[in-house]
Amino acid sequence: MILITIILLILSILIGFAFRKFQFNKSIQEANIAAAQIRRHGEIKDKDEVEKLISKEKKNTIQYRDGIEDEIKTDIEDNERKSRWLDQRIELLDKKEQGLAKKNELLNQKNLDLKSQKKELHDIRENSRQLILDRHEALQNSAEMSQDAADHEVLRETEEDVSQTYNKYVIDAETELEATSENSARVLIDQAIEHSGGKTVLYENHRSLEVTSKEVLGKIIGNAGQNVRAIEALTGVDIIIDDKESEVIINGYDPIRRATAYRVLERISETHRVNPDAIEQIVNETNRYMDHHIRHYGEKAVNELGLTKVAPDLIKFIGRMHYRTSYGQNILEHSIETAKLAGIFAAELGEDSAMARRAGLLHDIGKSIDRDIEATHVEIGVELTKQYRESPVVVNTIASHHGDVESEYVIADLVTAADSISGSRQGARNESAADYLQRIKSLEGIANEQPEVDESYAIQAGRELRVIVQPKKTNDKSIHDIATEVKNEIEENVTYPGQVKVTVVRKLEIVEYAERRRA
């Protein structure tokens, strides 16, 4: 019995061992199959990833190649443009070199002419001395005059000859001047414009700011509009929000205030947290920034023209002209150009070139504050320059450059001519002819609507309106009423820069003819 039990136990152990071996072999086989599948899947996945990497690298390579090609193309275009620009500059320099050569030739010829004239003058002087001696000796021999009498007679005859020669020389010089003055002036103007370095300046737009996002717009508006109200109160401008166009419009007559508000809005758009206190701090910082840049513009203009002893406060008024325009032309650049032209004119005519440049720079100084004071820019400019003790030449230039008073100095006339050239040259101003004619027509139309007005003329580019009334229908009191009425109509219905001067003219002229009665 025990033996059977032992045998059964051994058999069960052998059977269990065989079964466990079978299970182990089966597990190994399944593991090998799974491993083979995993290897095959891994190879496929690696292959896909390699293909993706290759595709991605190909795309990057193509993009890089395209970028390089675009850069090369851009460089080629830049080089071609620079080459064209260099060709133009070379051509311009060649022309200037030719002009300088001609001018040098003319100067050499003038030097030769002067030397020749100097020699002729020396010969004439020697001949005159010999002639006086001969006359003196002849008078003494023929008339038996005393020494003093002979000297007096020779002196009298010599004065008569010199007077006749001088009168003939003056007449000839005046005739030659009348014949050649217009052509000489045209040549002088051409040379001055060529060397003045006139340029067209694009004026900075401070009337609107493009908003990049709703977040920026929210910063500007603030809680229930408190930020907008703070900006308007601190800068003195009106802010209009245009949601559709994503634009903030800045309304105001003062260009410096508009520029200040524009920079404040830019600072606000870059600031993380915005409230009225932060806005006040930004406005204060911007005001200091604007004061610094205004003075910088003034100092730059003074240094560019080589002027000295300009009052520091006057330099600030000069800098303010950078933010003022007239028909789209920047007033500071216009004044600098006028100064350069006037300086060249003065140098050619033997006048004080530095004084001409100074008067040219300051001729429109009144426009720096003419929007803040009820007066014309001419009147303001005269008062400013008198206040800072500028030369009478500068003061008279400002007063006369629009014909309000007579010019007393040659420099004043030169600045007036330079002012006209700078304002009328091509590209200087961008006001259309239609707008200009419409404004002139509007001014004259308002005056002509008055029943007592005979005719009217808008002069000085619309700065003055001359109204001629019918003398028999008006008197001294009524013409004052007409001037006031025309002035009020212009203020209500016409858009214009600065001021418009209304001058009413009444002239009563009675003519009678006296004839002799027949008997």
Side-chain angles (χ1 to χ4, degrees), residues 129-142:
R129 288 177 181 174
Q130 187 61 41
L131 181 61
I132 290 172
L133 292 175
D134 293 343
R135 282 187 178 183
H136 189 276
E137 184 178 355
L139 283 172
Q140 280 186 326
N141 294 334
S142 61

Side-chain angles (χ1 to χ4, degrees), residues 24 26 35 50-51 84 146 156 284 290 312 336 489-490:
F24 178 75
K26 184 178 181 181
V50 169
E51 290 179 353
R84 290 194 298 270
S146 64
R156 183 187 63 78
N284 292 335
M290 292 296 294
I336 293 173
E489 288 288 331
I490 291 173

Side-chain angles (χ1 to χ4, degrees), residues 185-289:
R186 189 177 292 113
V187 172
L188 176 59
I189 290 172
D190 291 341
Q191 292 176 349
I193 292 175
E194 181 181 353
H195 293 89
S196 65
K199 54 187 176 181
T200 300
V201 177
L202 295 177
Y203 183 60
E204 301 171 3
N205 178 24
H206 294 139
R207 294 186 179 275
S208 63
L209 175 70
E210 185 178 354
V211 180
T212 57
S213 66
K214 294 291 184 181
E215 181 184 357
V216 173
L217 196 62
K219 290 180 183 179
I220 294 173
I221 296 173
N223 186 15
Q226 64 178 359
N227 290 352
V228 169
R229 291 193 295 272
I231 296 169
E232 291 178 336
L234 293 170
T235 60
V237 300
D238 295 328
I239 304 295
I240 300 173
I241 308 295
D242 190 343
D243 293 334
K244 295 181 179 179
E245 298 293 335
S246 297
E247 186 179 33
V248 178
I249 300 172
I250 305 171
N251 275 344
Y253 289 105
D254 191 330
I256 295 181
R257 290 183 180 179
R258 288 201 309 270
T260 303
Y262 185 90
R263 180 167 176 81
V264 167
L265 292 174
E266 285 185 327
R267 289 284 307 279
I268 288 174
S269 64
E270 298 169 356
T271 304
H272 182 62
R273 291 184 179 180
V274 181
N275 54 51
D277 293 335
I279 291 173
E280 183 176 1
Q281 183 180 357
I282 291 172
V283 171
N284 292 335
E285 292 174 357
T286 304
N287 286 333
R288 290 193 293 271
Y289 170 87

Side-chain angles (χ1 to χ4, degrees), residues 366-378:
K367 289 185 178 180
S368 62
I369 53 173
D370 65 340
R371 297 186 184 275
D372 303 325
I373 299 176
E374 291 295 330
T376 65
H377 75 278
V378 173

Side-chain angles (χ1 to χ4, degrees), residues 333-397:
E333 296 298 334
H334 160 68
S335 299
I336 293 173
E337 183 179 8
T338 300
K340 291 180 178 179
L341 288 170
I344 294 172
F345 292 159
E348 291 291 335
L349 297 178
E351 296 290 332
D352 189 343
S353 178
M355 181 60 68
R357 292 196 302 274
R358 193 182 194 96
L361 178 63
L362 297 175
H363 81 283
D364 270 344
I365 190 67
K367 289 185 178 180
S368 62
I369 53 173
D370 65 340
R371 297 186 184 275
D372 303 325
I373 299 176
E374 291 295 330
T376 65
H377 75 278
V378 173
E379 296 169 344
I380 297 171
V382 169
E383 290 300 321
L384 275 177
T385 47
K386 284 183 177 178
Q387 179 181 348
Y388 293 106
R389 299 179 181 180
E390 284 292 329
S391 166
V393 178
V394 175
V395 176
N396 180 249
T397 298

